[in-house]
Amino acid sequence: MNIQSIQQFLQGNTRTPKKKSKLVMYVKKQWGGYKKLREAHEISYHFSQFLTPVIANTDYKKECVFKLRHNVYCDELNFEPVREDGLEKDEFDAYSEYSMIQHIKSETFAGTVRVVSPQKEGQLLPIEKYCLDTITESQYSPTNFERHEICEISRLAVPAAFRRRKADKFVGAATGSINQFIESDAELRCFPFIAVGLYFAAAALVMKLGKKHTYVMMEPRLARSMGYVGIKFIQIGPVVDYHGKRAPYYINPSLLVSTLSKGFKCMLENIRECMNEQKIN
């Protein structure tokens, strides 16, 4: 049954006898799944047309990371104090790797994320230093594993210019210089998926680093949003007040691959392929 025949079947069977109702429901379910899959593939395709992952493997790129974080965490959200040098850094940056999503046309960075990657004793994850007592599922505690096996995804930041709604696309909107480069609805549709792209970029870094266990403190709402595309984080503790309402979560590469929806697997593989061509420090 092709697409046209499915559409005709559904349109012509809005009222069916009971003996046909199960078939109608089955076809509707399959049609709905097909549409979601097709949309996911379109998002993956368009994402790669307008946005690209970049590993911050030079001093200049790292400075861009710290500036972007300062703009979001210090200037905009007031999570951290404003720094005179305009760079948001902390002790964990001494053993971290970074990825950014770059808007291809404007060459503007649309977001950044960090993977804290300890290698030796004494190098803690942020979740260990500040929120270890929130982890109630003890089997997932990072203290159970070797330092080189664990990492934490943190400091995800997307500047306001790339969080604007489509309705804000007009002269005078606080979207910065990227307005002149946005030419289509397809490009704007990618913007809500920048956070997904950043988590995929972080996942690609995690795999590239050979890490086995990954942690993140995030809002439950964001965790649910990630779940819609098949990124199934395991909540390992209650919600606490840590830069807003957040909870500790766990994931590993096998869990990510096994639960990711088919359409977004293509997006992850595209990002991994792009990042595998780039060097870490």
Side-chain angles (χ1 to χ4, degrees):
M1 187 178 286
N2 57 32
I3 297 174
Q4 186 176 4
S5 62
I6 291 175
Q7 290 174 322
Q8 291 174 346
F9 176 83
L10 292 175
Q11 291 170 357
N13 286 271
T14 54
R15 296 181 180 178
T16 59
K18 289 184 179 180
K19 64 181 180 179
K20 292 185 179 180
S21 61
K22 289 185 178 180
L23 177 60
V24 172
M25 292 302 296
Y26 172 78
V27 173
K28 284 184 176 181
K29 182 178 180 180
Q30 296 301 311
W31 176 239
Y34 169 78
K35 289 195 295 183
K36 289 181 179 179
L37 181 61
R38 182 177 63 180
E39 182 176 347
H41 278 294
E42 289 176 354
I43 289 167
S44 176
Y45 171 77
H46 290 306
F47 189 95
S48 64
Q49 295 299 301
F50 304 119
L51 300 161
T52 188
V54 176
I55 295 177
N57 52 14
T58 67
D59 290 342
Y60 168 73
K61 290 176 183 176
K62 288 180 182 179
E63 186 171 300
C64 290
V65 166
F66 301 142
K67 284 182 177 178
L68 194 157
R69 279 169 31 180
H70 191 278
N71 290 342
V72 174
Y73 282 93
C74 304
D75 295 332
E76 182 184 347
L77 300 178
N78 297 314
F79 283 168
E80 301 289 346
V82 173
R83 320 289 173 83
E84 288 187 8
D85 60 4
L87 306 177
E88 195 283 309
K89 301 170 66 175
D90 63 23
E91 62 189 280
F92 305 104
D93 289 308
Y95 46 95
S96 295
E97 303 297 340
Y98 315 90
S99 181
M100 295 182 286
I101 296 295
Q102 187 174 39
H103 183 240
I104 296 171
K105 293 179 184 177
S106 67
E107 298 185 350
T108 303
F109 292 113
T112 182
V113 67
R114 149 178 102 174
V115 177
V116 181
S117 177
Q119 298 296 322
K120 56 186 180 182
E121 293 303 320
Q123 293 182 336
L124 300 178
L125 300 177
I127 198 171
E128 290 180 291
K129 182 170 182 178
Y130 299 112
C131 304
L132 188 60
D133 59 349
T134 68
I135 298 176
T136 55
E137 301 293 329
S138 59
Q139 69 271 30
Y140 293 109
S141 174
T143 59
N144 294 337
F145 311 112
E146 298 292 332
R147 291 289 95 185
H148 67 275
E149 294 180 333
I150 64 175
C151 65
E152 181 173 344
I153 298 172
S154 71
R155 284 299 195 265
L156 185 145
V158 179
F162 289 92
R163 300 200 306 271
R164 297 296 187 186
R165 298 166 302 164
K166 178 179 177 180
D168 293 326
K169 183 190 169 189
F170 58 86
V171 176
T175 55
S177 60
I178 64 167
N179 264 358
Q180 61 185 301
F181 297 97
I182 300 175
E183 299 176 351
S184 68
D185 288 344
E187 186 163 3
L188 287 167
R189 284 182 64 209
C190 294
F191 285 14
F193 290 92
I194 288 175
V196 176
L198 285 169
Y199 273 108
F200 283 166
L205 267 181
V206 169
M207 295 177 192
K208 199 174 178 73
L209 291 166
K211 298 293 183 176
K212 296 180 180 179
H213 309 282
T214 303
Y215 300 86
V216 59
M217 289 290 294
M218 74 170 86
E219 297 178 9
R221 180 181 60 179
L222 179 56
R224 289 193 297 271
S225 296
M226 294 298 104
Y228 295 148
V229 304
I231 305 178
K232 303 292 187 179
F233 290 96
I234 299 174
Q235 186 172 339
I236 57 175
V239 176
V240 295
D241 191 1
Y242 179 70
H243 294 319
K245 299 298 182 181
R246 300 174 185 270
Y249 291 87
Y250 170 91
I251 198 168
N252 59 46
S254 61
L255 277 174
L256 172 65
V257 174
S258 65
T259 60
L260 196 61
S261 59
K262 292 181 180 179
F264 284 97
K265 279 184 180 178
C266 178
M267 183 174 170
L268 172 61
E269 287 307 311
N270 288 342
I271 287 176
R272 284 192 69 190
E273 182 178 345
C274 184
M275 292 183 66
N276 283 338
E277 296 173 354
Q278 305 175 49
K279 293 181 179 180
I280 300 178
N281 292 332

